[in-house]
């Protein structure tokens, strides 16, 4: 399948309100479908990376480190 055709089909499916735009909620659904298990794996990887004390939870300090590293 050609890229443009694939994008057209994705847009048709995920532009639920048919306004010619992918809004935030439609985008979340699209990403969830595209990433599937990769999204879960990505979340696990990020969580494990910032759970520095391996407590199976993210402390406020760990969250601060994550925000600084990922957002800035």
């Amino acid at each position: 399948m050609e890229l443009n055709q694939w994008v057209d089909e994705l847009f048709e499916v995920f532009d639920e309100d048919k306004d010619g735009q992918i809004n935030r909620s439609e985008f979340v659904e699209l990403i969830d479908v595209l990433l599937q298990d990769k999204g879960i794996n990505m979340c696990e990887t990020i969580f494990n990376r910032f759970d520095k004390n391996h407590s199976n939870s993210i402390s406020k300090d760990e969250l601060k480190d994550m925000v600084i590293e990922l957002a800035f």
Side-chain angles (χ1 to χ4, degrees):
M1 176 181 297
E2 181 187 335
L3 177 60
N4 288 336
Q5 182 182 358
W6 189 56
V7 169
D8 287 346
E9 289 184 19
L10 285 172
F11 215 92
E12 178 69 26
V13 170
F14 289 98
D15 181 18
E16 294 173 355
D17 59 6
K18 306 302 181 208
D19 68 350
Q21 302 289 321
I22 300 291
N23 66 35
R24 185 177 301 271
S25 63
E26 293 165 342
F27 181 78
V28 168
E29 290 180 37
L30 172 64
I31 294 302
D32 185 45
V33 168
L34 289 177
L35 291 179
Q36 296 176 5
D37 290 340
K38 290 179 188 175
I40 293 169
N41 292 337
M42 195 179 308
C43 287
E44 285 291 322
T45 299
I46 292 170
F47 186 92
N48 291 335
R49 179 174 172 189
F50 289 100
D51 180 19
K52 295 182 179 178
N53 64 359
H54 308 288
S55 64
N56 206 32
S57 62
I58 300 292
S59 70
K60 192 177 279 188
D61 286 336
E62 290 167 333
L63 179 60
K64 182 180 175 183
D65 291 343
M66 181 177 74
V67 168
I68 288 169
E69 187 169 327
L70 296 177
F72 296 109

